[in-house]
Coordinates of all heavy atoms in Angstrom, one line a residue:
M1 N 15.8 8.8 2.1 CA 14.7 7.8 1.7 C 13.6 8.0 2.7 O 13.8 8.1 3.9 CB 15.2 6.4 1.9 CG 16.1 5.8 0.7 SD 16.4 4.0 0.9 CE 17.7 4.1 2.0
P2 N 12.4 8.2 2.1 CA 11.3 8.4 3.1 C 11.0 7.2 4.0 O 11.3 6.0 3.6 CB 10.1 8.5 2.1 CG 10.7 9.0 0.8 CD 12.1 8.3 0.7
S3 N 10.6 7.5 5.1 CA 10.2 6.5 6.1 C 8.8 6.1 6.0 O 7.8 7.0 5.9 CB 10.5 7.0 7.6 OG 10.2 6.0 8.5
I4 N 8.5 4.8 5.8 CA 7.0 4.4 5.7 C 6.7 3.4 6.7 O 7.5 2.4 7.0 CB 6.9 3.6 4.2 CG1 7.4 4.6 3.2 CG2 5.4 3.3 4.0 CD1 6.7 5.8 2.9
T5 N 5.5 3.5 7.3 CA 5.0 2.5 8.3 C 4.0 1.7 7.7 O 2.9 2.2 7.3 CB 4.6 3.3 9.6 OG1 5.7 3.9 10.1 CG2 4.0 2.3 10.6
Y6 N 4.1 0.4 7.8 CA 3.2 -0.7 7.5 C 2.6 -1.3 8.7 O 3.5 -1.8 9.4 CB 3.7 -1.7 6.5 CG 4.4 -1.2 5.2 CD1 5.8 -0.8 5.3 CD2 3.8 -1.2 4.1 CE1 6.5 -0.3 4.2 CE2 4.5 -0.7 2.9 CZ 5.7 -0.3 2.9 OH 6.4 0.1 1.8
I7 N 1.3 -1.3 8.9 CA 0.8 -1.9 10.1 C 0.0 -3.1 9.7 O -1.0 -2.9 9.0 CB -0.1 -0.8 10.8 CG1 0.7 0.4 11.3 CG2 -0.7 -1.5 12.2 CD1 0.0 1.5 11.9
E8 N 0.4 -4.3 10.1 CA -0.3 -5.5 9.8 C -1.6 -5.4 10.5 O -1.9 -4.8 11.5 CB 0.5 -6.7 10.3 CG 1.8 -6.9 9.5 CD 2.6 -8.1 10.0 OE1 2.0 -9.1 10.4 OE2 3.9 -8.0 10.0
A9 N -2.6 -6.4 10.0 CA -3.9 -6.6 10.6 C -3.7 -7.0 12.1 O -4.7 -6.6 13.0 CB -4.7 -7.5 9.8
S10 N -2.7 -7.6 12.5 CA -2.5 -8.0 13.9 C -2.1 -6.8 14.8 O -2.1 -6.9 16.0 CB -1.4 -9.1 13.9 OG -0.1 -8.5 13.5
G11 N -1.7 -5.7 14.1 CA -1.2 -4.6 14.9 C 0.2 -4.4 14.8 O 0.8 -3.4 15.3
E12 N 0.9 -5.5 14.5 CA 2.4 -5.3 14.3 C 2.8 -4.3 13.3 O 2.3 -4.3 12.1 CB 3.0 -6.7 13.9 CG 4.5 -6.8 14.0 CD 5.1 -8.1 13.8 OE1 4.5 -9.2 13.9 OE2 6.4 -8.1 13.6
S13 N 3.7 -3.5 13.7 CA 4.1 -2.3 12.9 C 5.5 -2.4 12.4 O 6.5 -2.9 13.1 CB 3.9 -1.1 13.8 OG 4.3 0.1 13.1
H14 N 5.7 -2.0 11.0 CA 7.0 -2.1 10.5 C 7.3 -0.7 9.8 O 6.7 -0.3 9.0 CB 7.1 -3.1 9.4 CG 6.7 -4.5 9.7 ND1 7.5 -5.5 10.1 CD2 5.3 -5.0 9.8 CE1 6.9 -6.6 10.4 NE2 5.6 -6.3 10.2
T15 N 8.3 0.0 10.4 CA 8.7 1.3 9.8 C 10.0 1.0 9.1 O 11.0 0.7 9.7 CB 8.9 2.4 10.9 OG1 7.6 2.5 11.5 CG2 9.3 3.6 10.4
V16 N 10.1 1.3 7.9 CA 11.2 1.0 7.0 C 11.5 2.3 6.1 O 10.5 3.0 5.8 CB 11.0 -0.2 6.2 CG1 10.8 -1.5 7.0 CG2 9.8 -0.1 5.1
D17 N 12.7 2.3 5.6 CA 13.1 3.4 4.7 C 13.0 2.9 3.3 O 13.5 1.7 2.9 CB 14.5 3.9 4.9 CG 14.7 4.6 6.2 OD1 13.7 5.2 6.7 OD2 15.7 4.5 6.8
V18 N 12.2 3.5 2.4 CA 12.0 3.1 1.0 C 12.6 4.1 0.0 O 12.2 5.3 0.1 CB 10.5 2.9 0.8 CG1 10.2 2.4 -0.7 CG2 9.8 1.9 1.7
P19 N 13.4 3.6 -0.9 CA 13.9 4.8 -1.8 C 12.9 5.3 -2.7 O 11.9 4.7 -3.1 CB 14.8 3.8 -2.8 CG 15.1 2.6 -2.0 CD 13.9 2.3 -1.2
T20 N 13.1 6.7 -3.0 CA 12.1 7.3 -3.8 C 12.1 6.8 -5.2 O 13.1 6.2 -5.7 CB 12.5 8.7 -3.9 OG1 13.7 9.0 -4.4 CG2 12.2 9.6 -2.6
G21 N 11.0 6.6 -5.8 CA 10.8 6.1 -7.1 C 10.3 4.6 -7.0 O 9.7 4.1 -8.0
N22 N 10.7 3.9 -5.9 CA 10.1 2.6 -5.8 C 8.6 2.6 -5.4 O 8.1 3.7 -4.9 CB 10.9 1.8 -4.6 CG 12.2 1.3 -5.0 OD1 12.7 1.5 -6.1 ND2 12.8 0.5 -4.2
S23 N 7.9 1.6 -5.6 CA 6.5 1.6 -5.2 C 6.4 1.3 -3.7 O 7.4 0.6 -3.1 CB 5.8 0.6 -6.0 OG 6.1 -0.8 -5.7
L24 N 5.3 1.6 -3.2 CA 5.1 1.2 -1.8 C 5.0 -0.3 -1.6 O 5.4 -0.8 -0.6 CB 3.6 1.8 -1.4 CG 3.3 2.1 0.0 CD1 4.2 3.0 0.7 CD2 1.8 2.6 0.1
M25 N 4.6 -1.0 -2.5 CA 4.6 -2.5 -2.6 C 6.0 -3.0 -2.6 O 6.3 -3.8 -1.7 CB 3.9 -3.0 -3.9 CG 4.0 -4.5 -4.1 SD 5.5 -5.2 -4.8 CE 5.3 -4.7 -6.5
Q26 N 7.0 -2.5 -3.4 CA 8.4 -3.0 -3.4 C 9.0 -2.7 -2.1 O 9.8 -3.5 -1.6 CB 9.1 -2.2 -4.6 CG 10.4 -3.0 -4.9 CD 10.2 -4.3 -5.5 OE1 9.4 -4.5 -6.4 NE2 10.8 -5.3 -4.8
G27 N 8.7 -1.5 -1.4 CA 9.2 -1.3 -0.1 C 8.9 -2.3 0.9 O 9.6 -2.7 1.7
A28 N 7.6 -2.8 0.8 CA 7.2 -3.8 1.7 C 7.9 -5.2 1.4 O 8.4 -5.9 2.3 CB 5.6 -4.1 1.7
V29 N 7.9 -5.6 0.1 CA 8.5 -6.8 -0.3 C 10.1 -6.8 0.2 O 10.5 -7.7 0.7 CB 8.3 -7.0 -1.8 CG1 9.1 -8.2 -2.2 CG2 6.9 -7.2 -2.0
D30 N 10.7 -5.7 -0.1 CA 12.2 -5.6 0.1 C 12.4 -5.7 1.6 O 13.6 -6.1 2.0 CB 12.8 -4.4 -0.5 CG 12.8 -4.3 -2.0 OD1 12.6 -5.4 -2.7 OD2 13.0 -3.3 -2.6
N31 N 11.5 -5.4 2.4 CA 11.8 -5.4 3.8 C 11.0 -6.4 4.5 O 10.9 -6.6 5.7 CB 11.4 -4.0 4.4 CG 12.3 -3.0 4.0 OD1 13.4 -2.9 4.7 ND2 12.0 -2.1 3.0
M32 N 10.5 -7.5 3.7 CA 9.9 -8.7 4.2 C 8.7 -8.3 5.2 O 8.6 -9.0 6.2 CB 10.9 -9.5 4.8 CG 11.9 -10.1 3.8 SD 13.1 -11.2 4.5 CE 14.3 -10.1 5.1
V33 N 8.0 -7.4 4.8 CA 6.8 -7.1 5.5 C 5.6 -8.0 5.2 O 5.3 -8.2 3.9 CB 6.4 -5.6 5.2 CG1 4.9 -5.3 5.9 CG2 7.3 -4.7 5.6
S34 N 5.1 -8.8 6.1 CA 4.1 -9.8 5.9 C 2.8 -9.0 5.5 O 2.5 -7.9 6.0 CB 3.8 -10.6 7.1 OG 4.9 -11.2 7.4
G35 N 2.0 -9.5 4.6 CA 0.7 -9.1 4.3 C 0.7 -8.4 2.9 O -0.3 -7.9 2.5
I36 N 1.8 -8.2 2.3 CA 1.9 -7.8 0.9 C 2.3 -8.9 0.0 O 3.6 -9.3 0.1 CB 2.8 -6.5 0.7 CG1 2.4 -5.3 1.6 CG2 2.9 -6.2 -0.7 CD1 1.1 -4.6 1.2
V37 N 1.5 -9.6 -0.6 CA 1.8 -10.8 -1.4 C 2.4 -10.4 -2.7 O 3.5 -10.9 -3.2 CB 0.6 -11.7 -1.6 CG1 0.9 -13.0 -2.4 CG2 -0.1 -11.9 -0.3
A38 N 1.8 -9.5 -3.5 CA 2.3 -9.0 -4.8 C 2.6 -10.1 -5.8 O 3.7 -10.1 -6.3 CB 3.6 -8.1 -4.5
E39 N 1.6 -10.9 -6.0 CA 1.7 -12.0 -6.9 C 2.3 -11.6 -8.3 O 3.0 -12.3 -9.0 CB 0.6 -12.8 -7.0 CG 0.3 -13.7 -5.8 CD -1.1 -14.4 -5.8 OE1 -1.7 -14.2 -6.8 OE2 -1.3 -15.2 -4.9
C40 N 1.7 -10.5 -8.8 CA 2.0 -10.1 -10.2 C 3.3 -9.3 -10.3 O 3.6 -8.8 -11.4 CB 0.8 -9.3 -10.8 SG 0.6 -7.7 -10.3
G41 N 3.9 -8.9 -9.2 CA 5.1 -8.2 -9.3 C 5.1 -6.8 -9.6 O 5.9 -6.1 -9.9
G42 N 3.7 -6.2 -9.4 CA 3.6 -4.8 -9.6 C 2.9 -4.3 -10.9 O 2.9 -3.3 -11.2
A43 N 2.3 -5.4 -11.6 CA 1.7 -5.1 -13.0 C 0.2 -4.7 -12.7 O -0.4 -4.6 -13.8 CB 1.8 -6.3 -13.7
C44 N -0.2 -4.4 -11.6 CA -1.6 -4.1 -11.3 C -2.6 -5.1 -11.8 O -3.7 -4.8 -12.5 CB -1.9 -2.7 -11.9 SG -3.4 -1.9 -11.3
S45 N -2.3 -6.3 -11.6 CA -3.2 -7.4 -12.3 C -3.5 -8.6 -11.2 O -4.0 -9.5 -11.7 CB -2.6 -8.1 -13.4 OG -1.3 -8.6 -13.2
C46 N -3.1 -8.4 -9.9 CA -3.4 -9.4 -8.9 C -4.3 -8.9 -7.8 O -4.9 -9.7 -7.0 CB -2.1 -10.1 -8.5 SG -1.1 -9.1 -7.4
A47 N -4.1 -7.7 -7.4 CA -4.8 -7.0 -6.2 C -4.3 -7.7 -4.8 O -5.1 -7.6 -4.0 CB -6.3 -7.0 -6.4
T48 N -3.1 -8.3 -4.9 CA -2.6 -8.9 -3.6 C -1.6 -7.9 -2.8 O -1.0 -8.4 -2.0 CB -2.0 -10.3 -3.8 OG1 -0.9 -10.1 -4.7 CG2 -3.0 -11.2 -4.3
C49 N -1.8 -6.7 -3.2 CA -0.9 -5.7 -2.5 C -1.7 -4.6 -2.0 O -1.3 -3.5 -1.8 CB 0.1 -5.1 -3.6 SG -0.6 -4.2 -4.9
H50 N -3.1 -4.9 -1.7 CA -4.0 -4.0 -1.2 C -3.5 -3.5 0.2 O -3.1 -4.3 1.0 CB -5.3 -4.8 -1.0 CG -6.5 -4.1 -0.5 ND1 -7.5 -4.7 0.2 CD2 -6.8 -2.7 -0.4 CE1 -8.3 -3.8 0.6 NE2 -7.9 -2.6 0.2
V51 N -3.8 -2.1 0.3 CA -3.5 -1.4 1.6 C -4.6 -0.5 1.8 O -5.3 0.0 0.9 CB -2.1 -0.7 1.7 CG1 -1.1 -1.7 1.5 CG2 -2.1 0.3 0.6
F52 N -4.8 -0.1 3.1 CA -5.7 0.9 3.5 C -4.7 2.1 3.9 O -4.0 2.0 4.9 CB -6.4 0.6 4.7 CG -7.3 -0.7 4.5 CD1 -7.1 -1.8 5.2 CD2 -8.5 -0.7 3.7 CE1 -7.8 -2.9 4.9 CE2 -9.1 -1.9 3.4 CZ -8.8 -3.0 4.1
V53 N -4.7 3.1 3.0 CA -3.9 4.3 3.3 C -4.5 5.1 4.6 O -5.7 5.4 4.6 CB -4.0 5.2 2.2 CG1 -3.2 6.6 2.5 CG2 -3.3 4.6 0.9
D54 N -3.7 5.3 5.6 CA -4.2 6.1 6.7 C -4.9 7.3 6.3 O -4.4 8.1 5.3 CB -2.9 6.4 7.6 CG -3.4 7.0 9.0 OD1 -3.7 8.1 9.1 OD2 -3.5 6.1 9.9
K55 N -6.0 7.7 6.9 CA -6.8 8.7 6.3 C -6.2 10.1 6.3 O -6.5 11.0 5.7 CB -8.1 8.8 7.1 CG -9.0 7.5 7.0 CD -10.4 7.7 6.6 CE -11.1 6.4 6.2 NZ -12.4 6.5 5.9
A56 N -5.2 10.2 7.2 CA -4.4 11.5 7.2 C -3.6 11.6 6.0 O -3.0 12.8 5.8 CB -3.6 11.5 8.5
W57 N -3.4 10.6 5.2 CA -2.5 10.6 4.1 C -3.1 10.5 2.7 O -2.5 10.6 1.7 CB -1.4 9.5 4.3 CG -0.5 9.8 5.3 CD1 -0.6 9.4 6.6 CD2 0.7 10.5 5.3 NE1 0.5 9.9 7.2 CE2 1.3 10.5 6.4 CE3 1.4 11.1 4.2 CZ2 2.6 11.1 6.8 CZ3 2.6 11.8 4.4 CH2 3.1 11.7 5.7
T58 N -4.4 10.3 2.7 CA -5.1 10.0 1.4 C -4.9 11.2 0.4 O -4.9 10.9 -0.8 CB -6.5 9.6 1.6 OG1 -7.1 10.7 2.3 CG2 -6.7 8.4 2.2
D59 N -4.8 12.4 0.8 CA -4.6 13.5 -0.1 C -3.3 13.5 -0.8 O -3.2 13.8 -2.0 CB -4.8 14.9 0.7 CG -6.2 15.3 1.1 OD1 -7.2 14.6 0.6 OD2 -6.4 16.1 1.8
R60 N -2.3 12.9 0.0 CA -1.0 13.0 -0.7 C -0.8 11.7 -1.6 O 0.1 11.8 -2.4 CB 0.1 13.1 0.4 CG 0.3 14.5 0.8 CD 1.2 14.6 1.9 NE 0.4 14.6 3.2 CZ 0.9 14.8 4.4 NH1 2.1 15.0 4.5 NH2 0.1 14.8 5.5
T61 N -1.4 10.6 -1.4 CA -1.3 9.4 -2.1 C -2.2 9.4 -3.4 O -1.9 8.7 -4.3 CB -1.6 8.1 -1.2 OG1 -2.9 8.2 -0.8 CG2 -0.6 7.9 -0.3
G62 N -3.2 10.3 -3.4 CA -4.0 10.5 -4.6 C -5.0 9.5 -4.7 O -5.3 8.6 -3.9
E63 N -5.6 9.4 -5.9 CA -6.7 8.6 -6.3 C -6.3 7.4 -7.2 O -5.4 7.7 -8.0 CB -7.9 9.3 -6.9 CG -8.5 10.4 -6.0 CD -9.3 9.9 -4.9 OE1 -10.1 8.8 -5.0 OE2 -9.2 10.4 -3.7
P64 N -6.9 6.3 -7.0 CA -6.6 5.1 -8.0 C -7.1 5.5 -9.4 O -8.2 6.2 -9.6 CB -7.4 4.0 -7.5 CG -8.4 4.6 -6.5 CD -7.9 5.9 -6.1
D65 N -6.3 5.1 -10.4 CA -6.8 5.4 -11.8 C -8.0 4.3 -12.1 O -8.2 3.5 -11.2 CB -5.8 5.4 -12.8 CG -5.0 4.1 -12.9 OD1 -5.6 3.0 -12.4 OD2 -3.9 4.0 -13.5
T66 N -8.5 4.4 -13.2 CA -9.6 3.6 -13.6 C -9.2 2.1 -13.5 O -10.0 1.3 -13.1 CB -10.1 3.9 -15.1 OG1 -10.5 5.3 -15.1 CG2 -11.3 3.1 -15.4
Y67 N -8.1 1.7 -14.1 CA -7.8 0.2 -14.0 C -7.6 -0.2 -12.6 O -7.9 -1.2 -12.2 CB -6.5 0.1 -14.8 CG -6.1 -1.4 -15.0 CD1 -6.9 -2.2 -15.9 CD2 -5.0 -1.9 -14.4 CE1 -6.6 -3.6 -16.1 CE2 -4.8 -3.2 -14.5 CZ -5.5 -4.1 -15.3 OH -5.3 -5.4 -15.5
E68 N -6.9 0.6 -11.7 CA -6.8 0.2 -10.4 C -8.1 0.1 -9.7 O -8.3 -0.8 -8.9 CB -5.8 1.3 -9.6 CG -5.6 0.9 -8.3 CD -4.7 1.9 -7.4 OE1 -4.1 2.7 -8.1 OE2 -4.6 1.8 -6.2
Q69 N -9.0 1.0 -10.0 CA -10.4 0.9 -9.5 C -11.0 -0.3 -9.8 O -11.7 -1.0 -9.0 CB -11.2 2.1 -10.0 CG -10.9 3.5 -9.2 CD -11.6 4.6 -9.9 OE1 -12.7 4.4 -10.5 NE2 -11.1 5.8 -9.8
E70 N -10.9 -0.8 -11.1 CA -11.4 -2.0 -11.5 C -10.9 -3.2 -10.7 O -11.5 -4.1 -10.4 CB -11.3 -2.3 -13.0 CG -12.1 -1.4 -13.8 CD -11.8 -1.3 -15.3 OE1 -11.0 -2.2 -15.7 OE2 -12.4 -0.5 -16.0
M71 N -9.6 -3.2 -10.5 CA -8.9 -4.3 -9.7 C -9.4 -4.3 -8.4 O -9.7 -5.4 -7.7 CB -7.4 -4.1 -9.7 CG -6.8 -4.3 -11.1 SD -7.1 -6.0 -11.8 CE -6.3 -7.0 -10.6
L72 N -9.5 -3.2 -7.7 CA -10.0 -3.0 -6.3 C -11.4 -3.5 -6.2 O -11.8 -4.1 -5.1 CB -9.9 -1.5 -5.8 CG -8.5 -1.0 -5.5 CD1 -8.5 0.5 -5.3 CD2 -7.9 -1.7 -4.3
A73 N -12.2 -3.4 -7.3 CA -13.7 -3.7 -7.2 C -13.7 -5.2 -7.1 O -14.9 -5.8 -6.7 CB -14.3 -3.2 -8.5
A74 N -12.8 -6.0 -7.4 CA -12.8 -7.4 -7.3 C -12.6 -7.9 -5.9 O -12.8 -9.1 -5.6 CB -11.8 -8.1 -8.3
L75 N -12.1 -7.0 -4.9 CA -11.9 -7.4 -3.7 C -13.1 -7.2 -2.8 O -14.1 -6.4 -3.0 CB -10.8 -6.5 -3.0 CG -9.4 -6.7 -3.8 CD1 -8.3 -5.6 -3.2 CD2 -8.8 -8.0 -3.7
I76 N -13.2 -7.9 -1.7 CA -14.4 -7.9 -0.8 C -14.2 -6.9 0.3 O -15.3 -6.6 1.0 CB -14.8 -9.3 -0.3 CG1 -13.7 -9.8 0.5 CG2 -15.3 -10.2 -1.4 CD1 -14.1 -11.1 1.3
D77 N -13.1 -6.6 0.6 CA -12.8 -5.8 1.9 C -12.3 -4.4 1.6 O -11.6 -3.8 2.5 CB -11.9 -6.5 2.9 CG -10.6 -6.8 2.1 OD1 -10.4 -6.6 0.9 OD2 -9.6 -7.4 2.8
T78 N -12.7 -3.7 0.6 CA -12.2 -2.4 0.3 C -13.0 -1.3 1.1 O -14.1 -1.5 1.4 CB -12.3 -2.2 -1.2 OG1 -13.7 -2.3 -1.7 CG2 -11.3 -3.0 -2.0
T79 N -12.4 -0.2 1.3 CA -13.0 1.0 1.9 C -12.6 2.1 0.9 O -11.9 2.0 -0.1 CB -12.5 1.1 3.3 OG1 -11.1 1.4 3.3 CG2 -12.8 -0.1 4.2
D80 N -13.0 3.2 1.4 CA -12.7 4.6 0.5 C -11.3 4.9 0.5 O -10.8 5.8 -0.2 CB -13.7 5.6 0.9 CG -13.5 6.1 2.2 OD1 -12.7 5.5 3.0 OD2 -14.1 7.1 2.6
N81 N -10.5 4.3 1.4 CA -9.1 4.6 1.6 C -8.3 3.4 1.0 O -7.0 3.3 1.2 CB -8.5 5.1 2.9 CG -8.9 4.0 3.9 OD1 -9.8 3.3 3.8 ND2 -8.2 4.1 5.0
S82 N -8.8 2.4 0.2 CA -8.2 1.3 -0.3 C -7.3 1.8 -1.5 O -7.8 2.6 -2.3 CB -9.1 0.2 -0.7 OG -9.8 -0.5 0.4
R83 N -6.1 1.2 -1.6 CA -5.2 1.4 -2.8 C -4.4 0.1 -3.0 O -4.4 -0.7 -2.1 CB -4.2 2.5 -2.6 CG -4.8 3.9 -2.5 CD -5.4 4.4 -3.8 NE -4.5 4.2 -4.9 CZ -3.5 5.1 -5.3 NH1 -3.5 6.3 -4.7 NH2 -2.8 5.0 -6.4
L84 N -3.9 0.0 -4.2 CA -3.0 -1.1 -4.6 C -1.6 -0.4 -4.4 O -1.3 0.5 -5.0 CB -3.3 -1.7 -5.9 CG -4.6 -2.3 -6.2 CD1 -4.8 -2.8 -7.6 CD2 -4.7 -3.5 -5.2
S85 N -0.9 -1.1 -3.5 CA 0.4 -0.4 -3.0 C 1.4 -0.4 -4.2 O 2.4 0.4 -4.1 CB 0.9 -1.0 -1.9 OG 1.1 -2.4 -2.0
C86 N 1.2 -1.3 -5.2 CA 2.2 -1.2 -6.4 C 2.0 0.1 -7.2 O 2.7 0.3 -8.1 CB 2.1 -2.5 -7.2 SG 0.5 -2.7 -8.0
Q87 N 0.8 0.6 -7.1 CA 0.5 1.9 -7.8 C 0.8 3.2 -7.2 O 0.4 4.2 -7.5 CB -0.9 1.8 -8.3 CG -1.3 0.5 -9.1 CD -0.4 0.5 -10.3 OE1 -0.5 1.3 -11.2 NE2 0.3 -0.7 -10.4
I88 N 1.4 3.0 -6.0 CA 1.7 4.4 -5.2 C 3.3 4.4 -5.3 O 4.0 3.7 -4.5 CB 1.3 4.2 -3.8 CG1 -0.3 4.1 -3.9 CG2 1.7 5.5 -3.1 CD1 -0.9 4.0 -2.4
P89 N 3.9 5.3 -6.1 CA 5.3 5.6 -6.0 C 5.6 6.3 -4.8 O 5.1 7.4 -4.4 CB 5.5 6.4 -7.4 CG 4.2 7.0 -7.6 CD 3.2 6.2 -7.1
V90 N 6.7 6.0 -4.2 CA 7.3 6.7 -3.0 C 8.0 7.9 -3.4 O 8.8 7.9 -4.3 CB 8.1 5.7 -2.1 CG1 8.8 6.5 -1.0 CG2 7.3 4.6 -1.7
S91 N 7.6 9.0 -2.7 CA 8.3 10.3 -3.0 C 8.6 10.9 -1.7 O 8.1 10.5 -0.6 CB 7.4 11.2 -3.8 OG 6.2 11.5 -3.1
V92 N 9.3 12.0 -1.7 CA 9.7 12.8 -0.4 C 8.5 13.2 0.3 O 8.4 13.4 1.4 CB 10.7 13.8 -0.7 CG1 12.1 13.2 -1.1 CG2 10.1 14.8 -1.7
E93 N 7.5 13.5 -0.6 CA 6.2 14.0 0.0 C 5.5 13.0 1.0 O 4.5 13.3 1.7 CB 5.1 14.4 -1.0 CG 5.5 15.7 -1.7 CD 6.8 15.5 -2.8 OE1 6.9 14.4 -3.2 OE2 7.4 16.4 -3.1
L94 N 5.9 11.8 0.7 CA 5.3 10.6 1.6 C 6.1 10.3 2.8 O 5.9 9.2 3.5 CB 5.0 9.4 0.6 CG 4.1 9.6 -0.5 CD1 3.9 8.2 -1.2 CD2 2.8 10.1 0.0
E95 N 7.0 11.1 3.2 CA 7.8 10.9 4.4 C 6.8 10.7 5.5 O 6.1 11.6 5.8 CB 8.8 12.0 4.6 CG 9.4 12.1 6.0 CD 10.2 10.8 6.4 OE1 11.0 10.4 5.4 OE2 10.2 10.4 7.5
G96 N 6.9 9.5 6.2 CA 6.0 9.4 7.5 C 4.7 8.7 7.1 O 3.8 8.4 8.0
L97 N 4.5 8.4 5.9 CA 3.2 7.7 5.5 C 2.9 6.4 6.2 O 3.9 5.7 6.6 CB 3.3 7.2 4.0 CG 2.1 6.5 3.4 CD1 0.9 7.3 3.5 CD2 2.6 5.9 2.0
V98 N 1.6 6.3 6.7 CA 1.3 5.1 7.4 C 0.2 4.4 6.5 O -0.8 5.1 6.0 CB 0.6 5.5 8.7 CG1 0.0 4.2 9.4 CG2 1.7 6.2 9.6
V99 N 0.3 3.1 6.4 CA -0.6 2.2 5.7 C -0.8 1.0 6.5 O -0.2 0.5 7.3 CB -0.3 1.8 4.2 CG1 -0.1 3.0 3.3 CG2 1.0 1.0 4.2
H100 N -2.2 0.6 6.4 CA -2.7 -0.6 7.2 C -2.9 -1.8 6.2 O -3.3 -1.6 5.1 CB -4.0 -0.2 7.9 CG -3.8 0.9 8.8 ND1 -3.5 0.8 10.2 CD2 -3.8 2.3 8.6 CE1 -3.4 1.9 10.7 NE2 -3.6 2.9 9.8
L101 N -2.6 -2.9 6.7 CA -2.7 -4.0 5.7 C -3.9 -4.9 6.0 O -4.3 -5.1 7.2 CB -1.5 -5.0 5.9 CG -0.2 -4.2 5.7 CD1 1.1 -5.2 5.8 CD2 -0.1 -3.4 4.4
P102 N -4.6 -5.4 5.0 CA -5.9 -6.1 5.2 C -5.6 -7.5 5.9 O -4.6 -8.2 5.5 CB -6.6 -6.2 3.8 CG -5.4 -6.1 2.9 CD -4.5 -5.2 3.6
E103 N -6.6 -8.0 6.7 CA -6.5 -9.3 7.2 C -6.5 -10.4 6.1 O -5.9 -11.5 6.4 CB -7.6 -9.5 8.2 CG -7.4 -10.7 9.1 CD -8.4 -10.8 10.2 OE1 -9.3 -9.9 10.4 OE2 -8.4 -11.7 11.0
S104 N -7.2 -10.1 5.0 CA -7.3 -11.1 3.9 C -6.1 -11.5 3.2 O -6.0 -12.5 2.6 CB -8.3 -10.6 2.9 OG -7.8 -9.3 2.4
Q105 N -5.0 -10.7 3.4 CA -3.7 -11.0 2.8 C -2.7 -11.8 3.7 O -1.5 -11.9 3.4 CB -3.0 -9.7 2.1 CG -3.8 -9.3 0.9 CD -3.3 -7.9 0.4 OE1 -4.0 -7.4 -0.5 NE2 -2.4 -7.2 1.0
F106 N -3.2 -12.3 4.8 CA -2.3 -13.1 5.7 C -2.6 -14.5 5.5 O -3.6 -15.0 5.0 CB -2.5 -12.6 7.1 CG -1.9 -11.3 7.3 CD1 -2.6 -10.2 7.1 CD2 -0.6 -11.2 7.8 CE1 -2.0 -9.0 7.4 CE2 0.0 -10.1 8.1 CZ -0.7 -8.9 7.8
Ligands
LIG1 S1 1.4 -6.3 -7.1 FE1 -0.2 -7.2 -8.2 S2 -1.7 -5.5 -8.3 FE2 -0.1 -4.8 -7.0

């Protein structure tokens, strides 16, 4: 299982193992990481699973599709490395991935 590090806005860090095929959001929820609300359960319709992908990893996590871009556009604190974590499937290529959580989701 790939090891993923979620860093809260406070700086608190959580490194957890997430099964391949699960979303980055599910990995956070299953491990009770604060800051991933995931109100819609992964349907890409709430944008409460927003993360900032560490810039060293953006090539491997890919780009948001059009619908995800529209959801991100509704948020006020996005940057060029913003993603909805429910739309990122965990794969072995993401071993060691680091994401940062926005202050707005606490
Ligand atoms: S969990 Fe709702 S958009 Fe990701």
Side-chain angles (χ1 to χ4, degrees):
M1 282 193 276
S3 178
I4 308 291
T5 297
Y6 303 83
I7 301 175
E8 296 182 30
S10 66
E12 186 173 346
S13 178
H14 308 266
T15 298
V16 300
D17 294 331
V18 180
T20 57
N22 279 13
S23 70
L24 202 56
M25 174 278 284
Q26 195 64 51
V29 170
D30 288 348
N31 289 282
M32 294 180 279
V33 174
S34 298
I36 298 287
V37 181
E39 285 176 356
C40 77
C44 198
S45 60
C46 72
T48 60
C49 64
H50 177 205
V51 297
F52 303 109
V53 175
D54 191 278
K55 298 231 174 175
W57 289 90
T58 54
D59 286 350
R60 277 174 272 187
T61 54
E63 297 290 324
D65 65 18
T66 303
Y67 189 70
E68 183 182 347
Q69 288 176 19
E70 290 173 5
M71 293 302 298
L72 286 166
L75 300 174
I76 58 169
D77 56 352
T78 54
T79 63
D80 59 357
N81 56 335
S82 286
R83 291 293 309 273
L84 296 180
S85 57
C86 69
Q87 300 303 301
I88 301 176
V90 172
S91 64
V92 292
E93 289 77 22
L94 296 184
E95 165 64 37
L97 173 66
V98 177
V99 295
H100 302 266
L101 308 183
E103 192 167 3
S104 59
Q105 281 168 190
F106 284 86

